[in-house]
Each structure stands twice: as C-alpha cells, then as structure tokens.
Amino acid sequence: MTLFSPVEQISRIGPAFQKRLKKLGIKTIKDLLYHFPSRYEDLSKITPIAKIRFGEAVTVIGKILNIKSSRTWKKKISLTEALIQDESGTLPAIWFHQPYLLKILKPGQFFLFSGKPALKKNQLYLSNPAFEKIDQADNINTGGLIHTGRIVPIYPATEGLSSRYFRYILKNILAYFDKKIPDPLPTETRENQKLLEINKALWQIHFPDTEKSAEEARRRFAFEEIFLIQLWALIERIRLRKEKALKFEINLPLIQKLIKSLPYKLTDGQKKSAWQILKDLEKPYPMNRLLEGDVGSGKTVIAAIAALNCASQKGQVAIMAPTEILAKQHFREFPKLLKNFKLSIALLTGKEDKIASKKLKGEVLEISRQKILEKIAKAEIDILIGTHALIQKNVIFKNLALAIVDEQHRFGVEQRAKLTRSRTIPHLLSMTATPIPRTLALTIYSDLDLSLISELPKGRKKIITKIVSPAGRLEVFEFIRLEANQGRQTFIICPLIEESEKLRVKAAVKEHEQLSQKFFSDLKVGLLHGRMKTREKGKIMKDFKAGKLNILVSTSVVEVGIDIPNATIMVIEGADRFGLAQLYQFRGRVGRNIFQSYCFLFTDSRAKRTHQRLKALIGAEDGFKLSEKDLEIRGPGDLAGTRQWGLPDLAMASLSDLSLIEAAKKEAVAILEKDIQLKKHPLLKERVESFKKRIHLE
Ligand code: ADP
Ligand code: MG
C-alpha cells in the first residue's frame, strides 16, 4: 500500500463507504490523509465524577457498574442505561437507539466517557457520551486514545461518515505508514520556515497533542498548498519566456495620433498600463499580462492602443468577450477609436451566419461567415472581435500576434494554444474589472504580470449608495419614477437565489411581471436574462441604450462590461447574497455621466454582519481595498477565480495571510534558482504536475 493506492485497498473500507468517500473527492490514501478536521474538541482533561457540573463538557474515566437496555414509551425508543463509577462517585449515562452497546460496554471494564452533563430530577447524567475503552484506570497515558481523553478531531459533517469513522480509519493508516511517509517539502524550505515534518504534521493535524501543535500542523499544510501554486506559477512563467512570439516596436507617432483623437486625456493609470503593455510587445517571448481596472476606468482604449500597435505592423489581433452583447459593444467601440487608421475590423459570433464586417471609413459590409474565415486566413482582417467562437477549429489566423480577453478570469494556456497553429504564441492581454486582493494576485494569478488602473477618469460624481429595508422599497420605486420622468434610466438586478440559471431566470421573469404590471405600469420595463435568444437580448440592450426603456430588470449573470451612460440608478435585490466585489461592479455600471447616480441595496436581512458588509460598500471608493475587506469578513469562497481552481479549504483560508504567501513565494524562488527542473525534488515535481492537471481541467 502506497500513498497513491486507491482507498479500495484498505480492507476496512467497504463498498458503501468507498462511495461516500468518493463523494467527498477522496480517492486515494493521500486524499484520505489530507482530509483534515474542521475543528477539534478538547476532551483531554479528566474530571472526577464528584466535581462535574451541569452544562460543562467533561471527560470522566470510570468502571461500568451495571448496564441495561430497555424499550420505553410504547416501545418506540430503545434506551441503554449504564452506571459509571470512579473513586469520587457514580454517574448515570444513557444512549438512545444503540442497544448493541450492551455488547461493548461490559460491567467491570474501564472506559473514558466524554459529553455534556444534563440534569433530570436533580440528578446529573451523561446523554449519548462518546466513549473509548482503556485497559486500566491508571493507564491512560498510552497515547492510543482517539475518541476521548485527548484533543479529538471533528471532521466536516458528511452523511454516513462520522468523525468516529474517520478517526478510526486515519489512526490505522497513520500507524501503517509508521512515520515513513516521504516529505514533498524540501528540508531546507522546512527548516527556513520552521515547518513540521510531514509525518509529524499528519499525526498532529489529526490527533494533536496540544492546540498549538494542531495549529502548527495546519500552517505546514497551508504553506504546502500555496508553495505548490507558487512553484507552478513560476515554472509556467519561465516556460513561457522560452516560447517565441512576434515582436513589435513601439510606433509612437501612430499611438500619439490615436491618443490625440480622443475627446479626453488619459489618466495616469491608463498611460502607465499602456506603456507596460507596449514594452511587453517589444519582447520576443509572449506577454502574459492582466490589466485590472474598475468598471469605467477605461480599459477599452488601452486595448485599442495595443491592438493598433500590432495591427499597424501586420500582426493580427483577436479580441474575445464573454458574451455576444459585449462583443457587439466592442465592435461598435473599436472602429470608432481606430477610425483614423486603415485597419479592417470584423465581428465573428457563434450563431449568425451573416456577419457585419466593418471596413474603415464608414463602410459596413455584410459578408458571410465563410468569407470572414477566408479573410482571416489571408490576413485581410486586422482585428477580429468575437466570443468563444474565436477559438473554434475553423478560425485560422495567418499571423496572430495578440489576443485580448475581456472579463474572463482565466484564459488557459490550452485556450491560447488553440488560437494559433504557427510556431509563435500570441501575446495575451487579459482585462478584468474584478478587484483581486493582493494575496490572491500573488498566488493564483502570480504567473501573470499585472497592470493596474487604480483611478477613475476625472469628473465622475460619487455614487450615492443606500441600504434599503423592505419598508423603504416603495419610496425607492417612487424615486425611480421621478428620475424616469427626467429621462434617466434604472437597472434592477435580481437576487442570486440559486446556483441554477433556470431559477434565476424565473425570479427575473416574476420580478419583471410585478414591476411592469404594478408599480411601473406607466413606464417601459424591459427584461434581460441568460436564457433569452441572442437576438432578443441584443434588441433589449439596444432599446435600453437608445432610451426606449426606462427600466431594465436583469439577472446577475448578465454583461459585466456594458456601458449605458444615461443610467443613473442601480437597484440590487437581495444585495446581501452578493459578494462585495460583485456589488461594487454592479454599482460601477451607473455614474458614468454628469448626472448624480444612485445605488440602492435591497435587503431583508437584519443580521449585523450583513449590514456591516454592505456598509463597507457605501464608503468604498476603491475596489481593491473593498475586496480585501470582503476577504476578511466573508472569506475567499466566492472571490474571483478561487472556485474554478478547486483550492483546498486550507489554502483558501490562508489566502488572507499575506505573510504566509510571501514566505511561500520566497521559498519557491529559492528552490527554482538552484534546481529549475526540480530534479533533486522528484516528489515535489510530481505534486506540481498533478496540480497542473487539476487546474487545466476547467
Ligand atoms: P472599462 O474599463 O469598464 O472597460 P470603458 O473602456 O468601457 O471602461 O470606458 C468607460 C467610459 O469611459 C467610456 O465611455 C470611455 O469613453 C470613457 N473613458 C475612458 N477613458 C477616459 C478618460 N481618461 N477620461 C474620460 N473618459 C474616459
Ligand atoms: Mg470593458
């Protein structure tokens, strides 16, 4: 039996248990060993029976004086009663529905019992206490206890798999390996960071001697996970540097011409980001850069600068948006931004066969999908805008230089490879409005270079944000009507009730029905959700943008980057269900013009924590600080990208621990500096490889 043997090989685990373990993602012995307790209970102190008190959890050690089982009250409940004795007195204990205990708890034998004393008719007793057999009352320091008389592990609750079961199995596995499990962490790393050796750490995380040693063990495993991610990211980065990409000089006069044509001045953040990107494009290896900036910070124009620089030097550019609506928005924006240059820009989406291809100087051509594909292959199209359709097999670029990916957190290495069939790899620019906390950027995004636009263009008014209880709803609706009469528009985002898109759509449809028929029967209310046909969605967005609708009710999945300058009110139903970063993004869709804008956070919740979170949004002007706050209050559960990475809980929890993450990075660099191939660390190499498989599955 090795660490990588399947759990089936453990004779004590029958088929039913195998199934339940599989449900938890536990397939191998290693998985089982890395299934850590979610908490502990300290049952280590033994109290004399005479000293126990009502309501205080205790562990007592005693002899069974007598035990009997009976059926009570119309024979529905089976009751087992025992009397326990130690030198100071006696104590009754009862168990429900466990008549088999008669065969285990035999009179005259010694056991440990842990539980909370209850009181009945002035008599203290233990109800359903945990128990464990010991040989003699004075011989409990054998170290062999796992259920009582020590700090006991409590495992995450799972149907059919009790903590007692995990303790039993894990104890046996750990004993089987007899402290001979090889440690994937290099000795020097462990010594530098004062981390427990793996065998000790495994024992201590499952069966800790003290709370402190449990904590030390957790730290070691958290470090291990983060360290693996760091190694992966560094190796990935180095690997990419060895690849070839097309390089492009910075065509300054052309770029200045573009910047001069804009009706505004670039912010400092925009200038700096554009420069970093242009410098990357000069290099002979592929860029891998994330451009991060709030909604409305002006990322599109940065993308246009990069695209212009490549396209003007015969490199083709692919721009990918997550939805058709956004792709179409880019298809309107890019030709406008690049109107002074002789470039041909086309749109390619999934379903339609007739596609508008815009030649510059105002000429719009309706050409077929087939024609577009031909033109791409002949490099007659410089910039191709689209959805995921761009990475389909039949889209073959002649000379793809740069891929720009909007609002998608991870564009995998594999996807990038799909875009090209030549010997060079395209430069990659990802853009996102999701604020990523520093710890997260340092871990799961650390293979990327980061450009930040941290300020919004000047002259934008602060958005007035209010938390609204159910009693305040009507007032807000009246306000919406007032604004509508002034020609302003409103977004209403429906709550994130269920994971299922189907149910979300249902909620939106219902809300739309109510609002359009009741409160706003005098106004025009549109509906947008993920299950509508592309054409319908497009029409609704067009109508909203053109001001033909006063109110747009929409599900939360819809269109992060949409630009409706005339919208001044953002209403978020069930605001407490969203992460702060997401709320921040919703809010960013208003406040894009000279009018005062508003964001109303509807909530039924009265919980203090909820209000504390939502209040953070009221004051927040900086999405990055906000995301760090969210991490603090809510944990990283729904932060950008953590889910798709399937990070283990321990690594997730440590994402708020900056010092741990920095230490892991430092050690990963130190190891790779000496041994880039990890030749001296085969175990580590193996773990990094399996980690790679995990993230490439997405
Ligand atoms: P996002 O970063 O969310 O993609 P956009 O690129 O859509 O933002 O820009 C939002 C709006 O801000 C657009 O209407 C754009 O024309 C405008 N904009 C971009 N940069 C500036 C700037 N430096 N000053 C003023 N307005 C700007
Ligand atoms: Mg955008």
Side-chain angles (χ1 to χ4, degrees), residues 241-252:
R241 296 252 149 130
K242 293 204 184 114
E243 301 281 357
K244 285 215 165 14
L246 299 168
K247 39 179 197 172
F248 298 91
E249 284 160 27
I250 301 178
N251 189 337
L252 217 48

Side-chain angles (χ1 to χ4, degrees), residues 300 406-407 561:
T300 316
D406 197 12
E407 300 297 357

Side-chain angles (χ1 to χ4, degrees), residues 264-267 270 293-301 329 333 407 433 457-458 460 561 563 592:
Y264 48 77
K265 273 211 175 98
L266 292 184
T267 61
Q270 282 175 312
D294 270 357
V295 179
S297 61
K299 296 185 289 293
T300 316
V301 62
Q329 183 173 301
E333 270 319 297
E407 300 297 357
K458 282 203 194 81
R460 300 240 168 104
D563 193 21
R592 292 176 159 223

Side-chain angles (χ1 to χ4, degrees), residues 22-137:
K22 285 239 163 76
K23 258 197 192 153
L24 287 174
I26 297 173
K27 293 185 203 117
T28 64
I29 302 219
K30 188 218 150 215
D31 297 340
L32 200 50
L33 286 172
Y34 275 66
H35 182 69
F36 297 142
S38 51
R39 63 188 179 85
Y40 302 92
E41 255 169 36
D42 188 353
L43 306 178
S44 61
K45 260 206 236 99
I46 291 164
T47 311
I49 286 175
K51 290 209 167 147
I52 67 171
R53 268 187 253 143
F54 172 68
E56 276 175 29
V58 288
T59 298
V60 299
I61 194 164
K63 189 165 77 175
I64 306 271
L65 276 187
N66 57 58
I67 183 162
K68 65 175 196 290
S69 219
S70 57
R71 289 198 167 259
T72 64
W73 226 70
K74 292 182 190 164
K75 303 203 167 180
K76 285 225 174 91
I77 300 169
S78 129
L79 186 70
T80 307
E81 292 172 273
L83 194 63
I84 307 161
Q85 181 190 46
D86 74 359
E87 280 159 5
S88 69
T90 59
L91 178 71
I94 59 167
W95 290 268
F96 297 102
H97 300 299
Q98 299 178 54
Y100 58 87
L101 290 180
L102 284 184
K103 290 192 191 131
I104 302 171
L105 302 169
K106 298 238 171 84
Q109 291 180 339
F110 284 90
F111 286 85
L112 278 161
F113 300 90
S114 291
K116 226 181 216 178
L119 200 58
K120 198 173 160 190
K121 289 184 191 153
N122 244 345
Q123 164 73 57
L124 283 170
Y125 68 100
L126 291 176
S127 173
N128 282 316
F131 60 86
E132 189 157 18
K133 188 171 179 344
I134 46 172
D135 293 340
Q136 277 179 354

Side-chain angles (χ1 to χ4, degrees), residues 266-429:
L266 292 184
T267 61
D268 287 345
Q270 282 175 312
K271 279 187 215 158
K272 196 167 147 204
S273 303
W275 187 248
Q276 287 170 334
I277 293 163
L278 291 170
K279 286 306 259 180
D280 280 358
L281 294 173
E282 282 186 322
K283 311 251 163 69
Y285 54 83
M287 163 170 82
N288 199 23
R289 188 169 283 280
L290 180 67
L291 174 60
E292 196 183 342
D294 270 357
V295 179
S297 61
K299 296 185 289 293
T300 316
V301 62
I302 305 302
I305 290 172
L308 174 64
N309 198 55
C310 293
S312 65
Q313 298 174 60
K314 299 268 173 297
Q316 286 175 293
V317 179
I319 299 174
M320 262 181 53
T323 65
E324 293 208 28
I325 293 187
L326 279 175
K328 283 181 178 156
Q329 183 173 301
H330 282 322
F331 189 57
R332 280 191 300 274
E333 270 319 297
F334 276 83
K336 268 192 230 158
L337 287 164
L338 299 172
K339 61 180 181 292
N340 297 324
F341 309 94
K342 281 207 178 98
L343 296 173
S344 109
I345 304 174
L347 178 72
L348 186 74
T349 55
K351 292 147 206 151
E352 296 154 69
D353 3 299
K354 282 276 179 189
I355 296 133
S357 162
K358 220 171 239 180
K359 283 269 185 188
L360 284 159
K361 293 180 185 151
E363 186 191 354
V364 179
L365 294 177
E366 282 265 313
I367 58 173
S368 69
R369 187 188 181 86
Q370 192 49 43
K371 264 264 154 54
I372 291 219
L373 293 177
E374 282 169 29
K375 280 170 175 286
I376 294 165
K378 284 194 252 166
E380 285 171 15
I381 286 168
D382 302 303
I383 298 176
L384 182 65
I385 297 170
T387 54
H388 261 92
L390 295 199
I391 50 171
Q392 281 160 10
K393 277 205 194 81
N394 55 4
V395 185
I396 299 164
F397 290 86
K398 184 171 180 206
N399 204 22
L400 183 65
L402 167 66
I404 299 174
V405 183
D406 197 12
E407 300 297 357
Q408 260 185 315
H409 292 117
R410 273 238 156 234
F411 190 69
V413 181
E414 248 103 277
Q415 281 164 304
R416 187 201 304 230
K418 273 190 201 155
L419 272 168
T420 177
R421 280 154 197 83
S422 60
R423 265 173 295 122
T424 58
I425 289 190
H427 296 285
L428 180 67
L429 175 64

Side-chain angles (χ1 to χ4, degrees), residues 588-606:
R589 290 193 221 169
V590 296
R592 292 176 159 223
N593 54 33
I594 54 165
F595 305 112
Q596 178 62 55
S597 288
Y598 305 85
C599 175
F600 297 108
L601 307 168
F602 283 12
T603 176
D604 299 345
S605 164
R606 293 210 192 135

